[in-house]
Amino acid sequence: MIIQHVETWTDKLPLTRPYVIATREVSTVDLHFVRLESHLGVSGYGCAAPTMVTSESPEECFQAMDSLAHDVLMRQNVQMIRPVTLELQRQCLNFPSALAALDMAVYDLLARSIGVSVASLIGHPMKPLPTSITIGILPLEQTLEEAQEYISRGFRCLKVKLGLNYEEDLARLHALRSICPENVTIRVDANQGYTLEQTTDLLHALHALNLELVEQPLVREEDHQMIVFPHEARQRMAADESLICPSDALRLSNGMPFGIWNIKLMKCGGITGALTIADIAEMTGIELMWGCMDESVISIAAALHTAYACSQTRYIDLDGSFDLSRDTAHGGFVLSDGYLHILDEPGLGVTQ
């Protein structure tokens, strides 16, 4: 199954609903795409979504993706997927989202070529899980309005961004909890915006607010301080910015400051890197959450297929394509009553 043709392109997409988090405001997103075509006419797709988390500029990311697609992948046999993806890793260490796009395109092409889904190619697909949908840092009234809209659309898991003002965050959470039905789950993400003292205070309110989990309260450089929290509390804490690549997974395995790891394909370089982190999680008993940036259905589908193939997966936060003003691709998954279902189609199930 030889790669005979490569196509790359880029698109700047406005969001239908701009949002604020502790580290930045987001209103548009630069996405880069790749299509690999085999000598038999089968295509595989990938998407890169570079952000400040991956330390890639859009221009550098696209240049790396384009040059590696042509220089490394052309004339490669994707049936030799392990050597191919490892060579990509060796040559693309500084551009994880570019690597992610190329990596998932290789998996998509191979799975399509043999007529199976990517999830079936790499594991035994699990039952669908509900995805959370994100509410940015908003004034109280807008937070409640947005939550009610999402609940009316069938979502049963809300992820609330925090981290700019602790007192306002707490007021928003208490008000939100008071209007949400019991079957609606609330998880929160501080994006490194809290101090140790504020995190401690939030943990004291965890049960009263009935929060499912707390994502990345402290800055990455201070995550070792979370060892002071009881084991039960740390089991409800999720690493995001602290977990970029497999070497971070090894670091976090020592002392285990987090009981949950948030894997994002754009951080770890795609499906291959994600599977390495998932293996470490399985060995250490860590639960997995799968997140995303603002992305096309191509890369959301890649994350979903990988998540459903991993036994440690417990949480899904794959809402990154919902607010794109448009997308270059279609399909990939079906959203039904807040649950994400992969399609019974070869590869990632996406079409251009």
Side-chain angles (χ1 to χ4, degrees):
M1 192 59 58
I2 308 301
I3 297 173
Q4 157 174 298
H5 179 73
V6 169
E7 179 185 8
T8 61
W9 69 99
T10 188
D11 207 348
K12 190 178 190 72
L13 303 176
L15 301 181
T16 58
R17 195 193 298 265
Y19 60 89
V20 176
I21 63 175
T23 54
R24 63 194 184 279
E25 181 176 355
V26 182
S27 60
T28 62
V29 56
D30 292 285
L31 299 182
H32 308 310
F33 300 93
V34 60
R35 182 177 70 87
L36 308 177
E37 184 179 326
S38 76
H39 69 291
L40 296 178
V42 180
S43 293
Y45 295 90
C47 171
T51 71
M52 61 182 296
V53 177
T54 64
S55 300
E56 299 164 272
S57 72
E59 298 77 17
E60 291 174 331
C61 174
F62 182 75
Q63 183 178 9
M65 185 187 76
D66 181 71
S67 62
L68 286 168
H70 288 90
D71 298 342
V72 175
L73 291 183
M74 279 290 289
R75 293 175 293 280
Q76 290 283 359
N77 183 352
V78 295
Q79 289 178 308
M80 308 292 290
I81 190 166
R82 184 67 172 166
V84 171
T85 56
L86 288 178
E87 182 61 23
L88 283 173
Q89 286 185 325
R90 280 190 288 269
Q91 299 207 33
C92 203
L93 289 175
N94 297 323
F95 303 98
S97 64
L99 173 60
L102 299 172
D103 182 86
M104 70 181 69
V106 170
Y107 278 92
D108 187 29
L109 179 56
L110 176 58
R112 287 175 190 259
S113 300
I114 61 177
V116 300
S117 70
V118 169
S120 297
L121 178 70
I122 60 178
H124 300 284
M126 61 172 24
K127 293 181 179 178
L129 293 172
T131 183
S132 53
I133 189 163
T134 303
I135 299 175
I137 298 177
L138 297 169
L140 176 57
E141 185 175 342
Q142 289 179 257
T143 296
L144 301 183
E145 288 176 356
E146 199 162 301
Q148 289 170 330
E149 176 197 334
Y150 290 145
I151 293 170
S152 70
R153 288 166 53 185
F155 291 98
R156 291 296 178 265
C157 184
L158 305 177
K159 176 172 167 177
V160 184
K161 294 288 189 176
L162 313 174
L164 290 182
N165 185 303
Y166 179 73
E167 287 71 26
E168 291 180 5
D169 289 345
L170 208 57
R172 289 169 65 222
L173 290 176
H174 278 290
L176 184 60
R177 185 72 274 175
S178 70
I179 70 160
C180 286
E182 290 185 2
N183 67 337
V184 172
T185 300
I186 299 175
R187 58 182 67 155
V188 298
D189 182 5
N191 284 116
Q192 308 181 88
Y194 282 170
T195 65
L196 186 64
E197 292 73 23
Q198 289 169 333
T199 304
T200 302
D201 190 59
L202 181 63
L203 287 174
H204 289 154
L206 202 66
H207 293 290
L209 291 168
N210 192 22
L211 300 181
E212 180 184 38
L213 59 85
V214 177
E215 190 175 346
Q216 197 70 43
L218 304 181
V219 297
R220 173 187 169 96
E221 293 75 17
E222 297 177 2
D223 59 26
H224 62 279
Q225 295 185 39
M226 293 175 54
I227 297 298
V228 302
F229 297 134
H231 175 75
E232 180 182 357
R234 284 184 278 125
Q235 292 301 103
R236 305 276 287 276
M237 310 292 270
D240 183 3
E241 288 88 349
S242 288
L243 178 70
I244 304 296
C245 58
S247 61
D248 286 325
L250 292 174
R251 176 180 66 86
L252 294 174
S253 298
N254 183 21
M256 298 177 65
F258 300 94
I260 305 164
W261 291 347
N262 186 341
I263 299 178
K264 295 178 179 175
L265 299 192
M266 296 302 142
K267 294 189 301 182
C268 66
I271 294 172
T272 301
L275 291 175
T276 302
I277 295 174
D279 286 343
I280 298 170
E282 185 171 13
M283 288 186 288
T284 53
I286 297 291
E287 295 184 339
L288 293 180
M289 176 180 181
W290 296 78
C292 59
M293 314 302 183
D294 298 299
E295 303 175 25
S296 166
V297 295
I298 295 172
S299 47
I300 297 295
L304 188 64
H305 278 252
T306 314
Y308 285 173
C310 294
S311 64
Q312 295 300 105
T313 297
R314 300 291 182 273
Y315 311 98
I316 297 294
D317 179 35
L318 295 175
D319 60 344
S321 64
F322 297 159
D323 289 333
L324 295 182
S325 59
R326 54 188 167 80
D327 203 331
T328 195
H330 307 280
F333 54 86
V334 171
L335 173 68
S336 178
D337 294 326
Y339 282 72
L340 289 181
H341 303 254
I342 60 176
L343 302 179
D344 186 21
E345 296 180 9
L348 296 175
V350 297
T351 57
Q352 189 178 351

mmCIF file of all heavy atoms in Angstrom, residues 122 243 245-246 249 261 263 268 270-288 290 306-307 309-313:
data_model
loop_
_atom_site.group_PDB
_atom_site.id
_atom_site.type_symbol
_atom_site.label_atom_id
_atom_site.label_comp_id
_atom_site.label_asym_id
_atom_site.label_seq_id
_atom_site.Cartn_x
_atom_site.Cartn_y
_atom_site.Cartn_z
ATOM 1 N N ILE A 122 -6.537 -0.716 15.998
ATOM 2 C CA ILE A 122 -5.609 -0.567 17.126
ATOM 3 C C ILE A 122 -6.122 -1.162 18.434
ATOM 4 O O ILE A 122 -5.372 -1.203 19.415
ATOM 5 C CB ILE A 122 -5.256 0.917 17.344
ATOM 6 C CG1 ILE A 122 -6.510 1.744 17.657
ATOM 7 C CG2 ILE A 122 -4.534 1.482 16.132
ATOM 8 C CD1 ILE A 122 -6.235 3.205 17.935
ATOM 9 N N LEU A 243 0.666 17.247 30.975
ATOM 10 C CA LEU A 243 0.857 16.029 30.188
ATOM 11 C C LEU A 243 0.882 16.391 28.715
ATOM 12 O O LEU A 243 -0.166 16.571 28.094
ATOM 13 C CB LEU A 243 -0.274 15.031 30.460
ATOM 14 C CG LEU A 243 -0.208 13.729 29.648
ATOM 15 C CD1 LEU A 243 0.940 12.855 30.111
ATOM 16 C CD2 LEU A 243 -1.523 12.981 29.729
ATOM 17 N N CYS A 245 3.563 14.810 26.401
ATOM 18 C CA CYS A 245 4.107 13.702 25.621
ATOM 19 C C CYS A 245 4.367 12.506 26.536
ATOM 20 O O CYS A 245 4.206 12.599 27.758
ATOM 21 C CB CYS A 245 5.393 14.141 24.930
ATOM 22 S SG CYS A 245 6.647 14.733 26.088
ATOM 23 N N PRO A 246 4.756 11.358 25.979
ATOM 24 C CA PRO A 246 4.995 10.173 26.805
ATOM 25 C C PRO A 246 6.007 10.377 27.930
ATOM 26 O O PRO A 246 5.863 9.779 29.008
ATOM 27 C CB PRO A 246 5.496 9.140 25.793
ATOM 28 C CG PRO A 246 4.785 9.507 24.531
ATOM 29 C CD PRO A 246 4.770 11.020 24.534
ATOM 30 N N ALA A 249 4.228 11.494 30.864
ATOM 31 C CA ALA A 249 3.496 10.398 31.508
ATOM 32 C C ALA A 249 4.399 9.628 32.463
ATOM 33 O O ALA A 249 3.994 9.258 33.573
ATOM 34 C CB ALA A 249 2.915 9.463 30.445
ATOM 35 N N TRP A 261 -5.428 11.479 33.352
ATOM 36 C CA TRP A 261 -4.588 12.154 32.355
ATOM 37 C C TRP A 261 -5.448 12.527 31.157
ATOM 38 O O TRP A 261 -6.170 11.687 30.612
ATOM 39 C CB TRP A 261 -3.463 11.242 31.873
ATOM 40 C CG TRP A 261 -2.422 10.964 32.925
ATOM 41 C CD1 TRP A 261 -2.241 11.590 34.120
ATOM 42 C CD2 TRP A 261 -1.402 9.959 32.843
ATOM 43 N NE1 TRP A 261 -1.177 11.049 34.787
ATOM 44 C CE2 TRP A 261 -0.642 10.051 34.039
ATOM 45 C CE3 TRP A 261 -1.044 9.005 31.894
ATOM 46 C CZ2 TRP A 261 0.442 9.215 34.295
ATOM 47 C CZ3 TRP A 261 0.023 8.161 32.138
ATOM 48 C CH2 TRP A 261 0.767 8.272 33.332
ATOM 49 N N ILE A 263 -5.391 13.226 27.474
ATOM 50 C CA ILE A 263 -4.593 13.047 26.267
ATOM 51 C C ILE A 263 -5.213 13.856 25.133
ATOM 52 O O ILE A 263 -6.418 13.780 24.887
ATOM 53 C CB ILE A 263 -4.526 11.569 25.853
ATOM 54 C CG1 ILE A 263 -3.868 10.725 26.949
ATOM 55 C CG2 ILE A 263 -3.763 11.407 24.541
ATOM 56 C CD1 ILE A 263 -3.805 9.240 26.621
ATOM 57 N N CYS A 268 0.540 15.264 21.885
ATOM 58 C CA CYS A 268 1.453 14.113 21.952
ATOM 59 C C CYS A 268 1.888 13.601 20.582
ATOM 60 O O CYS A 268 2.609 12.604 20.498
ATOM 61 C CB CYS A 268 0.820 12.981 22.756
ATOM 62 S SG CYS A 268 -0.638 12.234 21.990
ATOM 63 N N GLY A 270 -0.185 12.672 17.890
ATOM 64 C CA GLY A 270 -1.063 11.776 17.157
ATOM 65 C C GLY A 270 -1.366 10.468 17.850
ATOM 66 O O GLY A 270 -1.127 10.278 19.051
ATOM 67 N N ILE A 271 -1.878 9.530 17.079
ATOM 68 C CA ILE A 271 -2.334 8.246 17.608
ATOM 69 C C ILE A 271 -1.180 7.451 18.206
ATOM 70 O O ILE A 271 -1.315 6.849 19.278
ATOM 71 C CB ILE A 271 -3.045 7.446 16.496
ATOM 72 C CG1 ILE A 271 -4.344 8.159 16.091
ATOM 73 C CG2 ILE A 271 -3.334 6.014 16.949
ATOM 74 C CD1 ILE A 271 -5.022 7.567 14.868
ATOM 75 N N THR A 272 -0.035 7.454 17.559
ATOM 76 C CA THR A 272 1.109 6.672 18.050
ATOM 77 C C THR A 272 1.544 7.140 19.426
ATOM 78 O O THR A 272 1.729 6.332 20.346
ATOM 79 C CB THR A 272 2.282 6.769 17.061
ATOM 80 O OG1 THR A 272 1.864 6.264 15.787
ATOM 81 C CG2 THR A 272 3.473 5.963 17.547
ATOM 82 N N GLY A 273 1.712 8.450 19.608
ATOM 83 C CA GLY A 273 2.086 8.983 20.911
ATOM 84 C C GLY A 273 1.014 8.752 21.956
ATOM 85 O O GLY A 273 1.309 8.445 23.115
ATOM 86 N N ALA A 274 -0.246 8.877 21.544
ATOM 87 C CA ALA A 274 -1.352 8.662 22.480
ATOM 88 C C ALA A 274 -1.383 7.229 22.989
ATOM 89 O O ALA A 274 -1.642 6.980 24.182
ATOM 90 C CB ALA A 274 -2.672 9.009 21.796
ATOM 91 N N LEU A 275 -1.132 6.274 22.117
ATOM 92 C CA LEU A 275 -1.134 4.870 22.533
ATOM 93 C C LEU A 275 -0.006 4.577 23.516
ATOM 94 O O LEU A 275 -0.165 3.760 24.432
ATOM 95 C CB LEU A 275 -1.028 3.963 21.309
ATOM 96 C CG LEU A 275 -2.246 3.943 20.381
ATOM 97 C CD1 LEU A 275 -1.962 3.099 19.143
ATOM 98 C CD2 LEU A 275 -3.482 3.431 21.110
ATOM 99 N N THR A 276 1.128 5.241 23.354
ATOM 100 C CA THR A 276 2.229 5.066 24.310
ATOM 101 C C THR A 276 1.819 5.579 25.685
ATOM 102 O O THR A 276 2.052 4.917 26.711
ATOM 103 C CB THR A 276 3.479 5.815 23.822
ATOM 104 O OG1 THR A 276 3.842 5.341 22.530
ATOM 105 C CG2 THR A 276 4.643 5.605 24.781
ATOM 106 N N ILE A 277 1.196 6.755 25.741
ATOM 107 C CA ILE A 277 0.718 7.292 27.022
ATOM 108 C C ILE A 277 -0.342 6.377 27.614
ATOM 109 O O ILE A 277 -0.346 6.120 28.827
ATOM 110 C CB ILE A 277 0.153 8.713 26.826
ATOM 111 C CG1 ILE A 277 1.265 9.672 26.389
ATOM 112 C CG2 ILE A 277 -0.511 9.218 28.107
ATOM 113 C CD1 ILE A 277 0.773 11.058 26.027
ATOM 114 N N ALA A 278 -1.238 5.865 26.775
ATOM 115 C CA ALA A 278 -2.294 4.977 27.258
ATOM 116 C C ALA A 278 -1.720 3.699 27.855
ATOM 117 O O ALA A 278 -2.242 3.176 28.849
ATOM 118 C CB ALA A 278 -3.261 4.654 26.125
ATOM 119 N N ASP A 279 -0.650 3.189 27.266
ATOM 120 C CA ASP A 279 0.001 1.992 27.819
ATOM 121 C C ASP A 279 0.564 2.273 29.211
ATOM 122 O O ASP A 279 0.444 1.443 30.126
ATOM 123 C CB ASP A 279 1.119 1.526 26.891
ATOM 124 C CG ASP A 279 0.614 0.847 25.631
ATOM 125 O OD1 ASP A 279 -0.566 0.441 25.615
ATOM 126 O OD2 ASP A 279 1.390 0.744 24.659
ATOM 127 N N ILE A 280 1.173 3.434 29.387
ATOM 128 C CA ILE A 280 1.714 3.809 30.701
ATOM 129 C C ILE A 280 0.573 3.967 31.696
ATOM 130 O O ILE A 280 0.683 3.544 32.868
ATOM 131 C CB ILE A 280 2.541 5.100 30.595
ATOM 132 C CG1 ILE A 280 3.742 4.884 29.666
ATOM 133 C CG2 ILE A 280 3.023 5.561 31.976
ATOM 134 C CD1 ILE A 280 4.486 6.162 29.313
ATOM 135 N N ALA A 281 -0.524 4.551 31.265
ATOM 136 C CA ALA A 281 -1.686 4.719 32.138
ATOM 137 C C ALA A 281 -2.233 3.372 32.590
ATOM 138 O O ALA A 281 -2.609 3.198 33.758
ATOM 139 C CB ALA A 281 -2.772 5.515 31.415
ATOM 140 N N GLU A 282 -2.282 2.423 31.679
ATOM 141 C CA GLU A 282 -2.795 1.095 32.037
ATOM 142 C C GLU A 282 -1.886 0.412 33.056
ATOM 143 O O GLU A 282 -2.364 -0.227 34.000
ATOM 144 C CB GLU A 282 -2.925 0.236 30.781
ATOM 145 C CG GLU A 282 -3.556 -1.124 31.043
ATOM 146 C CD GLU A 282 -3.869 -1.871 29.770
ATOM 147 O OE1 GLU A 282 -3.382 -1.469 28.695
ATOM 148 O OE2 GLU A 282 -4.615 -2.870 29.841
ATOM 149 N N MET A 283 -0.587 0.584 32.902
ATOM 150 C CA MET A 283 0.358 -0.045 33.838
ATOM 151 C C MET A 283 0.290 0.581 35.226
ATOM 152 O O MET A 283 0.580 -0.083 36.219
ATOM 153 C CB MET A 283 1.778 0.058 33.282
ATOM 154 C CG MET A 283 2.050 -0.847 32.098
ATOM 155 S SD MET A 283 3.791 -0.819 31.585
ATOM 156 C CE MET A 283 3.918 0.801 30.847
ATOM 157 N N THR A 284 -0.084 1.856 35.303
ATOM 158 C CA THR A 284 -0.069 2.565 36.588
ATOM 159 C C THR A 284 -1.457 2.798 37.171
ATOM 160 O O THR A 284 -1.589 3.391 38.245
ATOM 161 C CB THR A 284 0.636 3.924 36.427
ATOM 162 O OG1 THR A 284 0.039 4.658 35.345
ATOM 163 C CG2 THR A 284 2.114 3.735 36.134
ATOM 164 N N GLY A 285 -2.505 2.356 36.473
ATOM 165 C CA GLY A 285 -3.861 2.497 36.987
ATOM 166 C C GLY A 285 -4.454 3.888 36.850
ATOM 167 O O GLY A 285 -5.409 4.238 37.553
ATOM 168 N N ILE A 286 -3.919 4.699 35.943
ATOM 169 C CA ILE A 286 -4.424 6.044 35.709
ATOM 170 C C ILE A 286 -5.625 5.980 34.763
ATOM 171 O O ILE A 286 -5.610 5.253 33.768
ATOM 172 C CB ILE A 286 -3.330 6.939 35.087
ATOM 173 C CG1 ILE A 286 -2.156 7.095 36.058
ATOM 174 C CG2 ILE A 286 -3.891 8.301 34.684
ATOM 175 C CD1 ILE A 286 -2.463 7.911 37.286
ATOM 176 N N GLU A 287 -6.665 6.762 35.067
ATOM 177 C CA GLU A 287 -7.799 6.864 34.162
ATOM 178 C C GLU A 287 -7.502 7.893 33.073
ATOM 179 O O GLU A 287 -6.738 8.838 33.294
ATOM 180 C CB GLU A 287 -9.064 7.257 34.928
ATOM 181 C CG GLU A 287 -9.514 6.202 35.914
ATOM 182 C CD GLU A 287 -10.814 6.559 36.599
ATOM 183 O OE1 GLU A 287 -11.171 7.759 36.632
ATOM 184 O OE2 GLU A 287 -11.496 5.635 37.101
ATOM 185 N N LEU A 288 -8.127 7.708 31.911
ATOM 186 C CA LEU A 288 -7.854 8.584 30.775
ATOM 187 C C LEU A 288 -9.061 9.441 30.415
ATOM 188 O O LEU A 288 -10.203 8.977 30.410
ATOM 189 C CB LEU A 288 -7.449 7.759 29.553
ATOM 190 C CG LEU A 288 -6.116 7.023 29.642
ATOM 191 C CD1 LEU A 288 -5.858 6.243 28.355
ATOM 192 C CD2 LEU A 288 -4.965 7.983 29.926
ATOM 193 N N TRP A 290 -9.972 12.201 27.213
ATOM 194 C CA TRP A 290 -9.509 12.555 25.871
ATOM 195 C C TRP A 290 -10.062 13.911 25.497
ATOM 196 O O TRP A 290 -11.279 14.112 25.454
ATOM 197 C CB TRP A 290 -9.929 11.484 24.860
ATOM 198 C CG TRP A 290 -9.274 10.174 25.145
ATOM 199 C CD1 TRP A 290 -9.625 9.265 26.108
ATOM 200 C CD2 TRP A 290 -8.106 9.634 24.514
ATOM 201 N NE1 TRP A 290 -8.759 8.191 26.095
ATOM 202 C CE2 TRP A 290 -7.825 8.391 25.128
ATOM 203 C CE3 TRP A 290 -7.287 10.074 23.472
ATOM 204 C CZ2 TRP A 290 -6.753 7.591 24.743
ATOM 205 C CZ3 TRP A 290 -6.224 9.266 23.088
ATOM 206 C CH2 TRP A 290 -5.963 8.044 23.709
ATOM 207 N N THR A 306 -9.210 6.486 18.877
ATOM 208 C CA THR A 306 -8.132 6.080 19.778
ATOM 209 C C THR A 306 -8.646 5.895 21.191
ATOM 210 O O THR A 306 -8.297 4.918 21.876
ATOM 211 C CB THR A 306 -6.988 7.112 19.755
ATOM 212 O OG1 THR A 306 -6.671 7.459 18.416
ATOM 213 C CG2 THR A 306 -5.743 6.559 20.432
ATOM 214 N N ALA A 307 -9.481 6.817 21.633
ATOM 215 C CA ALA A 307 -10.057 6.727 22.985
ATOM 216 C C ALA A 307 -10.837 5.431 23.167
ATOM 217 O O ALA A 307 -10.682 4.724 24.173
ATOM 218 C CB ALA A 307 -10.964 7.928 23.242
ATOM 219 N N ALA A 309 -10.503 2.705 21.752
ATOM 220 C CA ALA A 309 -9.662 1.506 21.640
ATOM 221 C C ALA A 309 -8.819 1.270 22.884
ATOM 222 O O ALA A 309 -8.111 0.262 22.963
ATOM 223 C CB ALA A 309 -8.754 1.619 20.426
ATOM 224 N N CYS A 310 -8.891 2.187 23.884
ATOM 225 C CA CYS A 310 -8.029 2.110 25.074
ATOM 226 C C CYS A 310 -8.836 1.772 26.320
ATOM 227 O O CYS A 310 -9.829 2.442 26.632
ATOM 228 C CB CYS A 310 -7.292 3.436 25.276
ATOM 229 S SG CYS A 310 -6.114 3.804 23.960
ATOM 230 N N SER A 311 -8.390 0.763 27.050
ATOM 231 C CA SER A 311 -9.159 0.251 28.182
ATOM 232 C C SER A 311 -9.269 1.231 29.339
ATOM 233 O O SER A 311 -10.192 1.128 30.148
ATOM 234 C CB SER A 311 -8.531 -1.061 28.678
ATOM 235 O OG SER A 311 -7.209 -0.828 29.171
ATOM 236 N N GLN A 312 -8.344 2.174 29.466
ATOM 237 C CA GLN A 312 -8.362 3.114 30.588
ATOM 238 C C GLN A 312 -9.239 4.338 30.339
ATOM 239 O O GLN A 312 -9.372 5.192 31.215
ATOM 240 C CB GLN A 312 -6.938 3.581 30.910
ATOM 241 C CG GLN A 312 -6.006 2.490 31.422
ATOM 242 C CD GLN A 312 -6.503 1.848 32.700
ATOM 243 O OE1 GLN A 312 -7.003 0.728 32.691
ATOM 244 N NE2 GLN A 312 -6.406 2.580 33.803
ATOM 245 N N THR A 313 -9.844 4.429 29.190
ATOM 246 C CA THR A 313 -10.673 5.589 28.871
ATOM 247 C C THR A 313 -11.917 5.630 29.758
ATOM 248 O O THR A 313 -12.662 4.652 29.844
ATOM 249 C CB THR A 313 -11.108 5.556 27.388
ATOM 250 O OG1 THR A 313 -9.935 5.652 26.572
ATOM 251 C CG2 THR A 313 -12.041 6.705 27.062
#
